Amino acid sequence: TVDIENYRLNVRTAGLIIHNNKLLAHKDANSDHYALIGGRIKTGEDSESAIKREIQEELGKKVKIIKYVSTIENFFEMNKIKYHEILFIHQVEFVEDEDKKIEYTLNNAEGKENLHYEWIDLDKIEQYELLPKIVKKVIKENEFPVHKIEKIY
């Protein structure tokens, strides 16, 4: 994350973990929305390595990349700060066979008690506040790879 002029530039990566027509999504108990699992890409780190690292840190699980899904340029304002976020999304799956069977809510492996990971039914995805909102369109269209731009001010 870098502050440039009137914006905060954020370069992030996220993973789509889909199992039995459900998407595993990140939920902060102090928030009213869901997000894809992921986080910031470190300087010198590529988006594939970053999503593997983020999921290992957050869930304690190893994943492998299945395919590149999307790049989303996301412009939004939060706490009176304008963000320009570049988000790289990869479809991933758990490496371990036992992990591939998980259908329950997962807790944060780093001990952050307010964070958990829930399965969202893809047939009911419109009922969930999933951010950025354009992610729902990317998933529904199911045509990868795709580049999208979302501006919400």
Side-chain angles (χ1 to χ4, degrees), residues 43-118:
T43 304
E45 183 179 42
D46 63 78
S47 64
E48 289 184 356
S49 298
I51 192 56
K52 290 177 184 178
R53 174 186 52 77
E54 285 288 343
I55 291 174
Q56 178 70 46
E57 290 172 0
E58 292 184 28
L59 298 179
K61 309 284 184 193
K62 290 186 179 183
V63 294
K64 64 180 178 180
I65 304 293
I66 302 302
K67 62 184 166 188
Y68 166 72
V69 173
S70 180
T71 299
I72 295 175
E73 294 180 63
N74 189 18
F75 299 84
F76 62 96
E77 191 170 323
M78 184 172 63
N79 299 327
K80 299 183 181 180
I81 298 172
K82 288 185 178 181
Y83 283 81
H84 178 172
E85 180 178 85
I86 301 169
L87 176 63
F88 297 93
I89 302 173
H90 299 276
Q91 185 169 352
V92 300
E93 74 176 13
F94 293 123
V95 171
E96 301 296 327
D97 287 337
E98 282 303 307
D99 293 338
K100 292 177 185 176
K101 299 174 186 174
I102 294 172
E103 294 189 11
Y104 51 83
T105 298
L106 294 162
N107 294 319
N108 181 272
E110 298 168 297
K112 298 176 183 172
E113 294 183 14
N114 60 310
L115 300 178
H116 54 275
Y117 307 85
E118 298 177 17

Coordinates of all heavy atoms in Angstrom, one line a residue, residues 43-118:
T43 N 6.3 -6.3 -2.1 CA 7.2 -5.8 -3.1 C 8.1 -7.0 -3.5 O 8.7 -7.7 -2.7 CB 8.0 -4.7 -2.6 OG1 7.1 -3.6 -2.2 CG2 8.9 -4.1 -3.7
G44 N 8.2 -7.2 -4.9 CA 9.0 -8.3 -5.4 C 8.3 -9.7 -5.4 O 8.9 -10.7 -5.9
E45 N 7.1 -9.8 -5.0 CA 6.3 -11.0 -4.9 C 5.3 -11.0 -6.0 O 4.7 -10.0 -6.3 CB 5.6 -11.1 -3.6 CG 4.9 -12.4 -3.3 CD 4.2 -12.4 -1.9 OE1 3.6 -11.4 -1.5 OE2 4.3 -13.5 -1.3
D46 N 5.2 -12.2 -6.7 CA 4.1 -12.3 -7.7 C 2.8 -12.7 -7.1 O 2.7 -13.1 -6.0 CB 4.5 -13.3 -8.8 CG 4.7 -14.7 -8.3 OD1 3.6 -15.4 -8.1 OD2 5.8 -15.1 -8.1
S47 N 1.7 -12.5 -7.9 CA 0.4 -12.7 -7.3 C 0.1 -14.2 -7.0 O -0.7 -14.4 -6.0 CB -0.7 -12.1 -8.2 OG -0.7 -12.8 -9.5
E48 N 0.6 -15.1 -7.7 CA 0.4 -16.5 -7.4 C 1.1 -16.9 -6.1 O 0.5 -17.6 -5.3 CB 1.0 -17.4 -8.6 CG 0.1 -17.3 -9.8 CD 0.6 -18.3 -10.9 OE1 1.6 -18.9 -10.8 OE2 -0.1 -18.3 -12.0
S49 N 2.3 -16.5 -5.9 CA 3.0 -16.8 -4.7 C 2.3 -16.1 -3.5 O 2.2 -16.7 -2.4 CB 4.5 -16.3 -4.8 OG 5.2 -17.0 -5.8
A50 N 1.9 -14.9 -3.7 CA 1.2 -14.1 -2.7 C -0.1 -14.8 -2.2 O -0.3 -14.9 -1.0 CB 0.9 -12.7 -3.1
I51 N -0.9 -15.3 -3.1 CA -2.1 -16.0 -2.7 C -1.9 -17.3 -2.0 O -2.5 -17.6 -1.0 CB -3.2 -16.1 -3.8 CG1 -4.5 -16.5 -3.3 CG2 -2.7 -17.2 -4.9 CD1 -5.1 -15.6 -2.2
K52 N -0.9 -18.0 -2.4 CA -0.5 -19.2 -1.7 C 0.0 -18.9 -0.2 O -0.4 -19.5 0.7 CB 0.6 -19.9 -2.4 CG 0.2 -20.6 -3.7 CD 1.4 -21.2 -4.4 CE 1.1 -21.8 -5.7 NZ 2.3 -22.4 -6.4
R53 N 0.8 -17.8 -0.1 CA 1.3 -17.4 1.2 C 0.1 -16.9 2.1 O 0.0 -17.3 3.2 CB 2.3 -16.2 1.0 CG 2.7 -15.6 2.4 CD 3.7 -14.4 2.2 NE 3.1 -13.4 1.3 CZ 2.2 -12.5 1.6 NH1 1.6 -12.5 2.8 NH2 1.8 -11.6 0.7
E54 N -0.8 -16.1 1.5 CA -1.9 -15.5 2.3 C -2.8 -16.6 2.8 O -3.2 -16.5 4.0 CB -2.7 -14.5 1.4 CG -2.0 -13.2 1.2 CD -2.0 -12.3 2.4 OE1 -2.8 -12.5 3.4 OE2 -1.2 -11.3 2.5
I55 N -3.1 -17.6 2.0 CA -4.0 -18.6 2.4 C -3.3 -19.5 3.5 O -4.0 -19.9 4.5 CB -4.6 -19.4 1.3 CG1 -5.5 -18.6 0.5 CG2 -5.3 -20.7 1.7 CD1 -6.1 -19.2 -0.8
Q56 N -2.0 -19.7 3.3 CA -1.3 -20.5 4.3 C -1.3 -19.7 5.6 O -1.5 -20.3 6.7 CB 0.2 -20.7 3.8 CG 1.0 -21.4 4.8 CD 0.7 -22.9 5.0 OE1 0.5 -23.6 4.0 NE2 0.6 -23.4 6.2
E57 N -1.1 -18.4 5.6 CA -1.1 -17.6 6.8 C -2.5 -17.6 7.5 O -2.6 -17.7 8.7 CB -0.7 -16.2 6.5 CG 0.8 -16.1 6.2 CD 1.2 -14.7 5.7 OE1 0.3 -13.8 5.6 OE2 2.4 -14.5 5.4
E58 N -3.5 -17.3 6.6 CA -4.9 -17.1 7.2 C -5.6 -18.4 7.6 O -6.3 -18.4 8.6 CB -5.7 -16.4 6.1 CG -5.3 -14.9 5.9 CD -6.2 -14.2 5.0 OE1 -7.4 -14.5 4.9 OE2 -5.7 -13.2 4.3
L59 N -5.4 -19.5 6.8 CA -6.1 -20.7 7.0 C -5.3 -21.9 7.5 O -5.8 -22.9 8.0 CB -6.9 -21.2 5.8 CG -7.9 -20.3 5.2 CD1 -8.5 -20.9 3.9 CD2 -9.0 -20.0 6.2
G60 N -3.9 -21.7 7.4 CA -3.0 -22.8 7.7 C -3.1 -23.9 6.8 O -2.8 -25.1 7.1
K61 N -3.5 -23.7 5.5 CA -3.7 -24.7 4.5 C -2.9 -24.3 3.3 O -2.8 -23.2 2.9 CB -5.2 -24.8 4.1 CG -6.2 -24.9 5.2 CD -6.2 -26.3 5.8 CE -7.3 -26.4 6.9 NZ -7.1 -27.6 7.7
K62 N -2.4 -25.4 2.6 CA -1.6 -25.2 1.4 C -2.6 -25.3 0.2 O -3.6 -26.1 0.2 CB -0.6 -26.2 1.2 CG 0.6 -26.0 2.2 CD 1.7 -27.0 1.9 CE 2.8 -26.7 2.9 NZ 4.0 -27.5 2.7
V63 N -2.4 -24.4 -0.8 CA -3.3 -24.4 -2.0 C -2.4 -24.5 -3.2 O -1.2 -24.1 -3.2 CB -4.2 -23.2 -2.1 CG1 -5.2 -23.2 -1.0 CG2 -3.4 -21.9 -2.1
K64 N -3.0 -24.9 -4.3 CA -2.3 -24.8 -5.6 C -3.2 -24.0 -6.6 O -4.4 -23.9 -6.4 CB -2.0 -26.2 -6.2 CG -3.2 -27.0 -6.5 CD -2.9 -28.4 -7.1 CE -4.1 -29.2 -7.3 NZ -3.7 -30.6 -7.9
I65 N -2.5 -23.4 -7.5 CA -3.2 -22.5 -8.5 C -3.8 -23.4 -9.5 O -3.2 -24.3 -10.1 CB -2.2 -21.6 -9.2 CG1 -1.5 -20.7 -8.2 CG2 -2.9 -20.7 -10.2 CD1 -2.3 -19.7 -7.4
I66 N -5.1 -23.2 -9.8 CA -5.8 -23.9 -10.9 C -5.8 -23.1 -12.2 O -5.5 -23.6 -13.2 CB -7.3 -24.2 -10.5 CG1 -7.3 -25.0 -9.2 CG2 -8.0 -24.9 -11.6 CD1 -6.6 -26.4 -9.2
K67 N -6.2 -21.8 -12.0 CA -6.1 -21.0 -13.2 C -6.2 -19.5 -12.8 O -6.7 -19.2 -11.7 CB -7.2 -21.3 -14.2 CG -8.6 -21.1 -13.7 CD -9.6 -21.5 -14.7 CE -11.0 -21.7 -14.1 NZ -12.0 -22.3 -15.0
Y68 N -5.7 -18.7 -13.7 CA -5.9 -17.2 -13.5 C -7.3 -16.8 -13.9 O -7.8 -17.3 -14.9 CB -4.9 -16.5 -14.4 CG -5.2 -15.0 -14.5 CD1 -4.9 -14.1 -13.5 CD2 -5.7 -14.5 -15.7 CE1 -5.2 -12.8 -13.6 CE2 -5.9 -13.2 -15.8 CZ -5.7 -12.3 -14.8 OH -6.0 -11.0 -14.9
V69 N -8.0 -16.0 -13.0 CA -9.4 -15.7 -13.3 C -9.6 -14.3 -13.8 O -10.2 -14.0 -14.8 CB -10.2 -15.9 -11.9 CG1 -11.6 -15.4 -12.1 CG2 -10.2 -17.4 -11.6
S70 N -9.0 -13.3 -13.0 CA -9.3 -11.9 -13.4 C -8.4 -10.9 -12.8 O -7.7 -11.2 -11.7 CB -10.7 -11.6 -12.8 OG -11.1 -10.3 -13.1
T71 N -8.3 -9.8 -13.4 CA -7.7 -8.6 -12.8 C -8.8 -7.6 -12.6 O -9.5 -7.3 -13.6 CB -6.5 -8.0 -13.6 OG1 -5.5 -9.0 -13.7 CG2 -6.0 -6.7 -12.9
I72 N -9.0 -7.0 -11.5 CA -10.0 -6.0 -11.2 C -9.3 -4.7 -10.8 O -8.5 -4.7 -9.8 CB -11.0 -6.5 -10.2 CG1 -11.8 -7.7 -10.7 CG2 -12.0 -5.3 -9.8 CD1 -12.7 -8.3 -9.7
E73 N -9.6 -3.6 -11.5 CA -9.2 -2.3 -11.0 C -10.4 -1.8 -10.2 O -11.5 -1.5 -10.8 CB -8.9 -1.4 -12.2 CG -7.7 -1.9 -13.0 CD -7.5 -1.0 -14.2 OE1 -7.2 0.2 -14.0 OE2 -7.6 -1.4 -15.3
N74 N -10.2 -1.6 -9.0 CA -11.2 -1.2 -8.0 C -11.0 0.2 -7.5 O -9.9 0.4 -6.8 CB -11.3 -2.3 -6.9 CG -12.5 -2.1 -6.0 OD1 -13.5 -1.5 -6.4 ND2 -12.4 -2.7 -4.9
F75 N -11.9 1.1 -7.7 CA -11.8 2.5 -7.2 C -12.9 2.7 -6.2 O -14.1 2.5 -6.5 CB -11.9 3.5 -8.3 CG -10.8 3.4 -9.4 CD1 -11.0 2.5 -10.4 CD2 -9.7 4.2 -9.3 CE1 -10.0 2.4 -11.4 CE2 -8.7 4.1 -10.3 CZ -8.9 3.2 -11.3
F76 N -12.5 3.0 -4.9 CA -13.5 3.2 -3.9 C -13.0 4.1 -2.8 O -11.8 4.4 -2.8 CB -14.0 1.8 -3.3 CG -12.9 1.1 -2.6 CD1 -12.7 1.2 -1.2 CD2 -12.0 0.3 -3.3 CE1 -11.7 0.5 -0.6 CE2 -10.9 -0.4 -2.7 CZ -10.8 -0.3 -1.3
E77 N -13.9 4.5 -1.9 CA -13.6 5.4 -0.8 C -14.0 4.7 0.5 O -15.0 4.1 0.6 CB -14.3 6.7 -0.9 CG -13.8 7.8 0.0 CD -14.3 9.2 -0.3 OE1 -14.5 9.5 -1.4 OE2 -14.6 9.9 0.7
M78 N -13.0 4.8 1.4 CA -13.3 4.2 2.8 C -12.6 5.1 3.8 O -11.5 5.4 3.7 CB -12.7 2.7 2.8 CG -13.0 2.0 4.1 SD -12.5 0.3 4.0 CE -10.8 0.4 3.8
N79 N -13.4 5.4 4.8 CA -12.9 6.3 5.9 C -12.3 7.6 5.3 O -11.2 8.0 5.7 CB -11.9 5.6 6.8 CG -12.4 4.3 7.4 OD1 -13.6 4.3 7.8 ND2 -11.6 3.3 7.6
K80 N -13.0 8.1 4.3 CA -12.6 9.4 3.7 C -11.3 9.3 2.9 O -10.7 10.3 2.6 CB -12.6 10.5 4.7 CG -13.9 10.8 5.3 CD -13.9 12.0 6.3 CE -15.3 12.2 6.9 NZ -15.3 13.3 7.8
I81 N -10.8 8.1 2.6 CA -9.6 7.9 1.8 C -10.0 7.3 0.5 O -10.8 6.3 0.5 CB -8.6 7.0 2.5 CG1 -8.2 7.7 3.9 CG2 -7.4 6.7 1.7 CD1 -7.4 6.7 4.7
K82 N -9.6 7.8 -0.6 CA -9.8 7.2 -2.0 C -8.8 6.1 -2.2 O -7.6 6.4 -2.0 CB -9.7 8.3 -3.0 CG -10.9 9.2 -3.0 CD -10.8 10.2 -4.2 CE -12.0 11.1 -4.2 NZ -11.9 12.1 -5.4
Y83 N -9.3 5.0 -2.7 CA -8.4 3.9 -3.0 C -8.4 3.6 -4.5 O -9.4 3.7 -5.1 CB -8.9 2.6 -2.2 CG -8.5 2.6 -0.8 CD1 -9.3 3.3 0.2 CD2 -7.4 1.9 -0.3 CE1 -9.0 3.2 1.5 CE2 -7.1 1.8 1.0 CZ -7.9 2.5 1.9 OH -7.6 2.5 3.3
H84 N -7.2 3.2 -4.9 CA -7.1 2.6 -6.3 C -6.4 1.3 -6.0 O -5.3 1.2 -5.6 CB -6.2 3.5 -7.1 CG -5.9 2.9 -8.5 ND1 -5.2 3.6 -9.5 CD2 -6.2 1.8 -9.1 CE1 -5.1 2.9 -10.6 NE2 -5.8 1.8 -10.4
E85 N -7.3 0.2 -6.2 CA -6.8 -1.1 -5.8 C -6.7 -1.9 -7.1 O -7.6 -1.9 -8.0 CB -7.9 -1.8 -4.9 CG -7.5 -3.2 -4.5 CD -8.5 -3.7 -3.5 OE1 -9.6 -4.2 -4.0 OE2 -8.3 -3.6 -2.3
I86 N -5.7 -2.6 -7.3 CA -5.5 -3.6 -8.4 C -5.5 -5.0 -7.7 O -4.7 -5.3 -6.9 CB -4.2 -3.3 -9.1 CG1 -4.2 -1.9 -9.7 CG2 -4.0 -4.4 -10.2 CD1 -2.8 -1.4 -10.2
L87 N -6.5 -5.8 -8.1 CA -6.7 -7.1 -7.5 C -6.5 -8.2 -8.6 O -7.2 -8.2 -9.6 CB -8.1 -7.1 -7.0 CG -8.6 -8.4 -6.4 CD1 -7.8 -8.8 -5.1 CD2 -10.1 -8.3 -6.0
F88 N -5.6 -9.1 -8.3 CA -5.4 -10.3 -9.2 C -6.1 -11.5 -8.5 O -5.8 -11.8 -7.3 CB -3.9 -10.6 -9.3 CG -3.1 -9.5 -9.9 CD1 -2.5 -8.5 -9.1 CD2 -3.0 -9.4 -11.3 CE1 -1.8 -7.5 -9.7 CE2 -2.2 -8.4 -11.9 CZ -1.6 -7.4 -11.1
I89 N -7.0 -12.1 -9.3 CA -7.7 -13.2 -8.7 C -7.3 -14.5 -9.4 O -7.3 -14.6 -10.6 CB -9.3 -13.0 -8.9 CG1 -9.7 -11.7 -8.2 CG2 -10.0 -14.2 -8.3 CD1 -11.1 -11.3 -8.5
H90 N -7.1 -15.6 -8.6 CA -6.7 -16.9 -9.1 C -7.7 -17.9 -8.5 O -8.0 -17.8 -7.3 CB -5.3 -17.3 -8.7 CG -4.2 -16.3 -9.2 ND1 -3.7 -16.5 -10.4 CD2 -3.6 -15.3 -8.6 CE1 -2.8 -15.5 -10.6 NE2 -2.8 -14.8 -9.5
Q91 N -8.1 -18.9 -9.3 CA -8.8 -20.0 -8.7 C -7.8 -20.9 -8.1 O -6.8 -21.3 -8.8 CB -9.7 -20.7 -9.8 CG -10.5 -21.8 -9.2 CD -11.6 -22.4 -10.1 OE1 -11.8 -21.8 -11.2 NE2 -12.2 -23.4 -9.7
V92 N -8.0 -21.3 -6.9 CA -7.1 -22.2 -6.2 C -7.9 -23.4 -5.6 O -9.1 -23.3 -5.5 CB -6.3 -21.5 -5.1 CG1 -5.5 -20.3 -5.7 CG2 -7.2 -20.9 -4.0
E93 N -7.2 -24.4 -5.2 CA -7.8 -25.5 -4.5 C -6.8 -26.0 -3.4 O -5.6 -25.9 -3.6 CB -8.2 -26.6 -5.4 CG -7.2 -27.5 -5.9 CD -7.7 -28.7 -6.8 OE1 -8.9 -28.7 -7.1 OE2 -6.9 -29.6 -7.0
F94 N -7.3 -26.6 -2.4 CA -6.5 -27.1 -1.3 C -5.7 -28.3 -1.9 O -6.1 -29.0 -2.7 CB -7.3 -27.6 -0.2 CG -8.1 -26.5 0.6 CD1 -9.5 -26.6 0.7 CD2 -7.4 -25.5 1.2 CE1 -10.1 -25.6 1.4 CE2 -8.0 -24.5 1.8 CZ -9.4 -24.5 2.0
V95 N -4.4 -28.4 -1.4 CA -3.5 -29.5 -1.8 C -3.9 -30.8 -1.2 O -4.0 -31.8 -1.8 CB -2.1 -29.1 -1.5 CG1 -1.1 -30.2 -1.7 CG2 -1.6 -27.9 -2.3
E96 N -4.1 -30.8 0.1 CA -4.4 -32.0 0.9 C -5.8 -32.5 0.6 O -6.8 -31.7 0.6 CB -4.2 -31.8 2.4 CG -2.8 -31.3 2.8 CD -1.8 -32.3 2.5 OE1 -2.1 -33.6 2.6 OE2 -0.6 -31.9 2.1
D97 N -6.0 -33.8 0.4 CA -7.3 -34.4 0.1 C -8.3 -34.1 1.2 O -9.5 -33.9 1.0 CB -7.2 -35.9 -0.2 CG -6.5 -36.2 -1.5 OD1 -6.6 -35.3 -2.4 OD2 -6.0 -37.3 -1.7
E98 N -7.8 -34.2 2.5 CA -8.7 -34.0 3.6 C -9.3 -32.6 3.6 O -10.4 -32.3 4.0 CB -8.0 -34.3 4.9 CG -7.9 -35.8 5.2 CD -9.3 -36.5 5.3 OE1 -10.2 -36.0 6.0 OE2 -9.4 -37.5 4.5
D99 N -8.4 -31.6 3.2 CA -8.8 -30.2 3.2 C -9.9 -30.0 2.1 O -10.7 -29.1 2.3 CB -7.6 -29.3 3.0 CG -6.7 -29.3 4.2 OD1 -7.1 -29.6 5.3 OD2 -5.5 -28.9 4.0
K100 N -9.8 -30.7 1.0 CA -10.8 -30.6 -0.1 C -12.2 -31.0 0.4 O -13.2 -30.6 -0.3 CB -10.4 -31.4 -1.3 CG -9.1 -30.9 -1.9 CD -8.7 -31.9 -3.1 CE -7.3 -31.4 -3.6 NZ -6.9 -32.4 -4.7
K101 N -12.3 -31.7 1.5 CA -13.7 -32.1 2.0 C -14.3 -31.1 2.9 O -15.4 -31.3 3.4 CB -13.5 -33.5 2.7 CG -13.0 -34.6 1.8 CD -12.8 -35.8 2.5 CE -12.1 -36.9 1.7 NZ -11.7 -38.1 2.4
I102 N -13.6 -30.1 3.3 CA -14.0 -29.1 4.3 C -15.3 -28.4 3.8 O -15.3 -27.8 2.7 CB -12.9 -28.1 4.7 CG1 -11.8 -28.8 5.4 CG2 -13.5 -26.9 5.5 CD1 -10.6 -27.9 5.6
E103 N -16.3 -28.4 4.6 CA -17.6 -27.7 4.3 C -18.1 -26.8 5.4 O -19.2 -26.3 5.4 CB -18.6 -28.6 3.8 CG -18.3 -29.3 2.5 CD -19.4 -30.2 1.9 OE1 -20.5 -30.0 2.4 OE2 -19.1 -30.9 1.0
Y104 N -17.2 -26.7 6.4 CA -17.6 -25.9 7.6 C -16.9 -24.6 7.7 O -16.0 -24.3 6.9 CB -17.3 -26.7 8.9 CG -15.9 -27.2 8.9 CD1 -14.8 -26.4 9.4 CD2 -15.6 -28.5 8.5 CE1 -13.5 -26.9 9.4 CE2 -14.3 -29.0 8.6 CZ -13.2 -28.2 9.0 OH -12.0 -28.7 9.0
T105 N -17.4 -23.7 8.5 CA -16.7 -22.4 8.7 C -15.4 -22.6 9.3 O -15.2 -23.3 10.3 CB -17.6 -21.5 9.6 OG1 -18.9 -21.3 9.0 CG2 -17.0 -20.1 9.9
L106 N -14.4 -21.9 8.8 CA -13.0 -21.9 9.3 C -12.7 -20.7 10.1 O -13.1 -19.6 9.8 CB -12.0 -22.1 8.1 CG -12.2 -23.4 7.3 CD1 -11.5 -23.2 5.9 CD2 -11.5 -24.5 8.0
N107 N -11.8 -20.9 11.1 CA -11.3 -19.7 11.9 C -10.0 -19.3 11.3 O -9.3 -20.1 10.7 CB -11.2 -20.1 13.3 CG -12.6 -20.4 13.9 OD1 -13.6 -19.7 13.7 ND2 -12.7 -21.4 14.7
N108 N -9.6 -18.1 11.7 CA -8.3 -17.6 11.2 C -7.2 -18.3 12.0 O -7.2 -18.3 13.2 CB -8.3 -16.0 11.5 CG -7.0 -15.4 11.1 OD1 -6.1 -15.4 11.8 ND2 -7.0 -14.9 9.9
A109 N -6.2 -18.8 11.2 CA -5.1 -19.5 11.8 C -4.1 -18.6 12.5 O -3.3 -19.1 13.3 CB -4.4 -20.3 10.7
E110 N -4.2 -17.3 12.3 CA -3.3 -16.4 12.9 C -3.8 -15.9 14.3 O -3.1 -15.1 15.0 CB -3.1 -15.2 12.1 CG -2.4 -15.5 10.7 CD -2.5 -14.3 9.7 OE1 -3.6 -13.9 9.4 OE2 -1.4 -13.9 9.4
G111 N -5.0 -16.5 14.7 CA -5.5 -16.1 16.0 C -6.4 -14.9 16.0 O -6.7 -14.4 17.1
K112 N -6.7 -14.3 14.9 CA -7.6 -13.2 14.8 C -9.0 -13.6 15.0 O -9.6 -14.1 14.0 CB -7.4 -12.4 13.5 CG -6.0 -11.9 13.4 CD -5.7 -11.2 12.0 CE -4.3 -10.8 11.9 NZ -4.0 -10.3 10.5
E113 N -9.6 -13.5 16.2 CA -10.9 -14.1 16.5 C -12.0 -13.5 15.7 O -13.1 -14.1 15.6 CB -11.1 -14.1 18.0 CG -10.1 -15.0 18.8 CD -10.4 -15.0 20.2 OE1 -11.5 -14.5 20.7 OE2 -9.5 -15.4 21.0
N114 N -11.9 -12.3 15.3 CA -13.0 -11.6 14.5 C -13.0 -12.1 13.1 O -14.0 -11.8 12.4 CB -12.8 -10.1 14.6 CG -11.5 -9.6 14.0 OD1 -10.4 -10.1 14.3 ND2 -11.6 -8.6 13.1
L115 N -12.0 -12.8 12.6 CA -12.0 -13.2 11.2 C -12.4 -14.7 11.1 O -11.9 -15.5 11.8 CB -10.6 -13.1 10.6 CG -10.1 -11.6 10.5 CD1 -8.7 -11.6 10.0 CD2 -11.0 -10.7 9.8
H116 N -13.3 -15.0 10.1 CA -13.7 -16.4 9.8 C -14.0 -16.5 8.4 O -14.1 -15.5 7.6 CB -14.8 -16.9 10.7 CG -16.0 -16.1 10.7 ND1 -16.2 -15.0 11.5 CD2 -17.1 -16.2 10.0 CE1 -17.4 -14.5 11.3 NE2 -18.0 -15.2 10.4
Y117 N -14.1 -17.7 7.9 CA -14.2 -18.0 6.5 C -15.4 -18.9 6.3 O -15.5 -20.0 6.8 CB -12.9 -18.6 6.0 CG -11.8 -17.8 6.4 CD1 -11.1 -17.9 7.6 CD2 -11.3 -16.8 5.5 CE1 -10.1 -17.1 8.0 CE2 -10.2 -16.0 5.9 CZ -9.6 -16.1 7.1 OH -8.6 -15.3 7.5
E118 N -16.4 -18.4 5.5 CA -17.7 -19.1 5.4 C -17.9 -19.5 3.9 O -17.4 -18.8 3.0 CB -18.9 -18.1 5.8 CG -18.8 -17.7 7.2 CD -20.0 -16.7 7.5 OE1 -20.9 -16.6 6.7 OE2 -19.9 -16.0 8.5

